[in-house]
Amino acid sequence: MGTLTAPAPWKQLLLGAMESNSHLRHSSYIQLATIGCNGRPSNRTVVFRGFQEDSDKIQIHTDRRSRKIEELKNCPFAEICWYFTDSWEQFRISGTVDMVDGSNPDPVKLEQREKSWFSTSLRSRLQYLGPHPGLPNLSEETPAQVFLDPSAGPAAAFCVLFLDPQQVDFLNLKSNQRVTFSSTQSPNGDKCWTSERVNP
Amino acid sequence: MGTLTAPAPWKQLLLGAMESNSHLRHSSYIQLATIGCNGRPSNRTVVFRGFQEDSDKIQIHTDRRSRKIEELKNCPFAEICWYFTDSWEQFRISGTVDMVDGSNPDPVKLEQREKSWFSTSLRSRLQYLGPHPGLPNLSEETPAQVFLDPSAGPAAAFCVLFLDPQQVDFLNLKSNQRVTFSSTQSPNGDKCWTSERVNP
């Protein structure tokens, strides 16, 4: 351990799995579990949108009006389950989630949100202009055509989640090996990771 | 509603998705979220082992020594996230979990457990004779060859989970349609399902 933050030791394993499964469209689909407002588990598929620059924080895009936002406000803890169907590797990544929508007071975070918005396809962006997710669908017709200016900034409903990993459980079903990675915060705020081989 | 229990309306949709994705080995892999003993979400991949006979209860095999058992004892609620990678359909199935291991006092449940045991491959059964999952792996060598008598009944660690669905959220990403199914218990104990189209 020096004054430089060492890269998280599980990140290299995860990048390797992403690389070896990259021919599969669904290899960036992950399951995000949260605590529901009724105290029960809540679980859904979301898309991995890359790491936050120079960090091991995981980015996810979501609609500010979706139920997970309310849930994460009540309890900021989440666990991602990421199973790679070709290499038979599983990563369970647990940590806390920071939510960044247009009301965020931090100009750096607002800039990251804008960058995320422009990194997505026009089709993805259109979703955030649609009706409130989860509310009753009353119309029988197809929704009216919505025009989206490609140069327009983030829609009000566009929200970026940053999951800051605190613990990672890695399982390789081909080699039948399992490793847990745990982090502790050093006095200067850097994360320090330790790992242990455990029985699968 | 008559005196007969109507089949759950989401079950037909799920059977259809299973059928159209059956060429993919991983189509029976599902993510099970529970509440961790620290109150944080917990999420892992498990295998769908079919419905309990004549019901909509979902069967999962697990090791009695795994962490999810302790978690489910503290909080019996779980949510399955089942994403079908070929048909782009997602089922979120939430409900309560009943655990059946060898100490169960109900002879009918013990019989179901035995049936589940013999329905699995010898390779799967061997897992339950291995070391305690999640504990530090101390040996550098490959484990000693374990002989398993194919006619021997369930290992002590073999446990069957039965998830009894109470709510199902179905999303079809190709047609962009979403339906939520909710159940209520009728006075005679039968489940009664209602459904509603909601915005995706």
Side-chain angles (χ1 to χ4, degrees):
Chain A
M1 305 293 138
T3 46
L4 286 169
T5 306
W10 51 266
K11 196 175 169 182
Q12 207 51 47
L13 286 171
L14 181 57
L15 291 171
M18 286 166 61
E19 175 66 27
S20 63
N21 292 266
S22 60
H23 57 292
L24 298 167
R25 180 200 166 95
H26 65 258
S27 65
S28 61
Y29 291 12
I30 58 185
Q31 276 72 37
L32 179 78
T34 51
I35 308 282
C37 292
N38 55 8
R40 302 186 183 188
S42 198
N43 204 4
R44 81 286 283 160
T45 306
V46 294
V47 180
F48 169 77
R49 300 285 185 177
F51 291 100
Q52 188 184 19
E53 273 171 49
D54 303 324
S55 84
D56 53 11
K57 288 185 188 168
I58 288 170
Q59 294 185 74
I60 294 160
H61 297 169
T62 191
D63 194 303
R64 193 174 69 172
R65 302 165 296 175
S66 69
R67 207 182 299 152
K68 61 178 107 41
I69 296 295
E70 219 46 58
E71 294 177 353
L72 288 166
K73 278 182 187 163
N74 280 329
C75 172
F77 301 107
E79 183 157 275
I80 287 169
C81 182
W82 196 340
Y83 183 70
F84 290 93
T85 57
D86 211 38
S87 61
W88 299 13
E89 291 166 286
Q90 175 181 265
F91 293 80
R92 298 171 61 180
I93 306 170
S94 74
T96 51
V97 178
D98 187 23
M99 296 176 276
V100 179
D101 67 12
S103 71
N104 202 288
D106 184 338
V108 175
K109 290 182 178 176
L110 285 178
E111 205 186 309
Q112 286 175 332
R113 173 174 173 263
E114 191 169 78
K115 215 169 143 185
S116 295
W117 172 260
F118 288 113
S119 75
T120 63
S121 67
L122 282 179
R123 202 174 161 238
S124 294
R125 293 183 214 171
L126 269 176
Q127 274 185 272
Y128 297 95
L129 302 173
H132 194 301
L135 288 193
N137 181 307
L138 302 167
S139 66
E140 284 302 310
E141 318 107 59
T142 41
Q145 202 71 28
V146 179
F147 174 75
L148 181 73
D149 178 355
S151 67
F158 183 68
C159 182
V160 184
L161 307 181
F162 296 94
L163 185 139
D164 188 9
Q166 289 166 349
Q167 194 143 2
V168 177
D169 186 300
F170 169 66
L171 175 66
N172 185 322
L173 284 175
K174 285 189 183 169
S175 65
N176 211 27
Q177 294 201 320
R178 185 176 169 191
V179 184
T180 59
F181 299 91
S182 304
S183 67
T184 49
Q185 204 91 15
S186 75
N188 65 355
D190 287 344
K191 250 190 280 183
C192 183
W193 289 92
T194 57
S195 69
E196 184 174 39
R197 271 194 64 187
V198 298
N199 297 320
Chain B
M1 305 294 138
T3 46
L4 286 169
T5 306
W10 51 267
K11 195 175 169 181
Q12 207 51 48
L13 286 171
L14 181 57
L15 292 170
M18 287 166 61
E19 174 67 27
S20 62
N21 292 267
S22 60
H23 59 291
L24 299 167
R25 179 200 166 96
H26 64 258
S27 66
S28 62
Y29 291 11
I30 59 185
Q31 277 71 38
L32 179 78
T34 51
I35 307 283
C37 292
N38 55 8
R40 301 185 183 188
S42 199
N43 203 5
R44 80 287 284 158
T45 306
V46 294
V47 180
F48 169 77
R49 300 284 185 176
F51 291 101
Q52 188 183 19
E53 274 170 49
D54 303 325
S55 83
D56 54 10
K57 287 185 188 169
I58 287 170
Q59 294 185 77
I60 294 160
H61 297 171
T62 191
D63 194 302
R64 192 174 70 170
R65 302 166 295 175
S66 69
R67 206 181 300 151
K68 61 177 106 42
I69 296 296
E70 219 45 58
E71 295 176 353
L72 288 165
K73 278 181 186 164
N74 279 330
C75 172
F77 301 107
E79 183 157 277
I80 287 169
C81 182
W82 197 340
Y83 183 70
F84 290 92
T85 57
D86 210 38
S87 61
W88 300 13
E89 291 167 286
Q90 174 181 265
F91 293 80
R92 297 172 61 180
I93 305 171
S94 75
T96 52
V97 178
D98 188 20
M99 295 176 278
V100 179
D101 67 12
S103 70
N104 202 289
D106 184 339
V108 176
K109 289 182 179 176
L110 284 178
E111 205 186 310
Q112 286 175 332
R113 173 174 174 264
E114 192 169 78
K115 214 170 147 184
S116 295
W117 173 260
F118 287 113
S119 74
T120 63
S121 67
L122 282 179
R123 204 175 160 236
S124 293
R125 293 182 213 171
L126 270 175
Q127 272 186 273
Y128 297 96
L129 301 173
H132 195 300
L135 288 193
N137 181 304
L138 302 167
S139 66
E140 284 301 311
E141 318 106 61
T142 41
Q145 203 72 27
V146 178
F147 174 74
L148 181 73
D149 178 356
S151 67
F158 183 67
C159 182
V160 185
L161 307 180
F162 296 94
L163 186 140
D164 188 8
Q166 290 167 350
Q167 194 142 3
V168 176
D169 185 300
F170 168 66
L171 175 66
N172 184 322
L173 283 175
K174 285 189 181 168
S175 66
N176 211 26
Q177 294 200 321
R178 185 176 170 191
V179 183
T180 59
F181 298 91
S182 304
S183 68
T184 50
Q185 204 91 15
S186 75
N188 65 356
D190 287 345
K191 250 189 281 182
C192 183
W193 288 94
T194 56
S195 70
E196 183 172 41
R197 271 195 65 188
V198 298
N199 298 320

